[in-house]
Amino acid sequence: MAVETKSTTDSNLTRALGYVRTAVYVVATLIGLSILVVGTVAVIAGLKGTWHWSIHLESTIRYMATLVEYLLALLVPLFGVLVVGRWYDE
């Protein structure tokens, strides 16, 4: 029967916080890339000025808005867990 010591528990908490931090960075990066995609399509649509590219812009905004909505729903709780975990770890 193994007994967990304080250092083992701290090590597990630190490792878990590392995973949460990585997840927060990945989700935030995906949100940033989504915004970059929308901006790129918007610039192309502005330069082209045709109805065809305005349709591309509208559909891109719609799809990216759905993606960002889900990513924010994931990011907010993860960030809360990270803040509370880091506060508890100190």
Side-chain angles (χ1 to χ4, degrees):
M1 183 159 110
V3 176
E4 285 194 22
T5 63
K6 176 98 169 111
S7 63
T8 304
T9 305
D10 288 344
S11 173
N12 290 339
L13 179 63
T14 304
R15 182 178 301 142
L17 285 176
Y19 292 142
V20 171
R21 184 182 325 114
T22 302
V24 167
Y25 289 157
V26 167
V27 172
T29 301
L30 288 174
I31 290 173
L33 289 174
S34 298
I35 293 169
L36 183 65
V37 166
V38 170
T40 303
V41 173
V43 167
I44 292 171
L47 291 175
K48 295 287 186 172
T50 63
W51 63 270
H52 178 79
W53 278 96
S54 66
I55 291 172
H56 283 302
L57 179 61
E58 289 175 13
S59 63
T60 302
I61 289 174
R62 190 175 316 119
Y63 291 131
M64 288 300 156
T66 304
L67 176 67
V68 168
E69 177 183 348
Y70 289 127
L71 289 175
L72 283 174
L74 181 63
L75 179 64
V76 170
L78 278 175
F79 184 72
V81 167
L82 181 64
V83 168
V84 170
R86 289 184 64 129
W87 173 75
Y88 181 77
D89 193 30
E90 291 176 1

